[in-house]
Amino acid sequence: MNAPRTAPAPDDTATSATTTTATAARKLRLRYAAIGLWMAFTWCGEGNAPAWEHALRTLVILLILPPLLLRANRHLTHKLYESARPGRVIAQLITARIAAVTVAFGAGFLLGHLLDPQAGRSPVLPALGFLLLLASIPAQIRHAHRTRTGTTHPATQPALSAPRLIAAKLTLITAALVAQLLLTPYLPNATYAVAAALFLATAAMGPRVHRRFLLTHPAPTNDRAADVPG
């Protein structure tokens, strides 16, 4: 005879919930550390440029990237959850992410060239950024498969709001611009000091205010889950 199934003890349930919460918190801290690194990388992309040029170029990238990235990610994640051929959808999802990042940083590079055509720009930082993006593909594939095996449809989970993210990052960029204008007369490497401050501020404050960036959508029916509006 088969052994009877027993319900988990309350202590086991509490321990599991605590472990899940701790794991989610750790992932959230890592996510904002990555965002902070991206903002710092973007800010110091033109090391010898004036502070206003750093801010303007970062602003252009910021206004392009989150709307494209979040909308494509939401639509294709919903599609992935329901698709019978996940390999093709995962390829579409990764391609969309790489395209969004390339378009945003390409626009920032073009703007920098238009503002200062004579400036010598090293290809090292753009090439390094693109290589890091390609290196993230295996992690993206693993995350996509975990999303597909989840028990909750992605459309029923809170989603990040692009306008709220942009407003928060605009605040950081404005503070960074003011800080660099104030520090430049006294600090030879003010650009890199401000970039480091951007990283630390995002990594430290992001997890604390993360809930304010979330929007909760009503649970969709199966025939409209993939078309939840952004």
Side-chain angles (χ1 to χ4, degrees):
M1 296 179 62
N2 293 332
R5 295 184 179 179
T6 58
D11 288 347
D12 292 340
T13 303
T15 302
S16 178
T18 302
T19 302
T20 301
T21 302
T23 301
R26 184 172 64 254
K27 289 181 178 179
L28 190 62
R29 288 194 298 269
L30 290 174
R31 180 188 304 177
Y32 276 97
I35 293 173
L37 186 62
W38 169 80
M39 291 191 70
F41 181 84
T42 304
W43 187 266
C44 65
E46 302 285 348
N48 59 347
W52 65 268
E53 187 174 328
H54 285 284
L56 183 59
R57 184 172 39 80
T58 305
L59 175 62
V60 168
I61 294 173
L62 175 63
L63 292 176
I64 293 174
L65 187 58
L68 288 179
L69 197 58
L70 291 177
R71 189 171 185 85
N73 188 71
R74 188 180 306 151
H75 173 74
L76 289 171
T77 300
H78 299 169
K79 186 177 178 181
L80 171 65
Y81 190 85
E82 299 174 343
S83 175
R85 304 181 66 179
R88 176 178 298 180
V89 182
I90 290 174
Q92 292 174 351
L93 178 61
I94 293 174
T95 301
R97 289 170 177 169
I98 292 176
V101 173
T102 302
V103 167
F105 277 86
F109 181 83
L110 178 60
L111 177 64
H113 179 74
L114 292 175
L115 292 173
D116 190 2
Q118 304 303 323
R121 292 175 172 80
S122 171
V124 174
L125 282 178
L128 178 61
F130 191 72
L131 287 176
L132 289 174
L133 183 62
L134 294 180
S136 72
I137 290 178
Q140 293 187 54
I141 293 174
R142 288 195 299 270
H143 184 268
H145 282 293
R146 286 198 298 269
T147 298
R148 180 173 168 79
T149 58
T151 57
T152 305
H153 196 291
T156 65
Q157 300 175 3
L160 287 170
S161 167
R164 294 181 187 180
L165 278 176
I166 290 173
K169 291 180 180 178
L170 278 176
T171 302
L172 274 178
I173 290 172
T174 302
L177 173 60
V178 173
Q180 184 160 331
L181 289 174
L182 294 174
L183 290 174
T184 297
Y186 310 101
L187 193 64
N189 295 318
T191 295
Y192 302 104
V194 170
L198 275 174
F199 167 73
L200 293 174
T202 304
M205 296 172 55
R208 300 180 183 181
V209 298
H210 177 72
R211 290 183 178 274
R212 299 184 182 182
F213 301 145
L214 298 178
L215 295 175
T216 302
H217 297 289
T221 57
N222 288 336
D223 59 348
R224 58 183 286 269
D227 296 318
V228 176

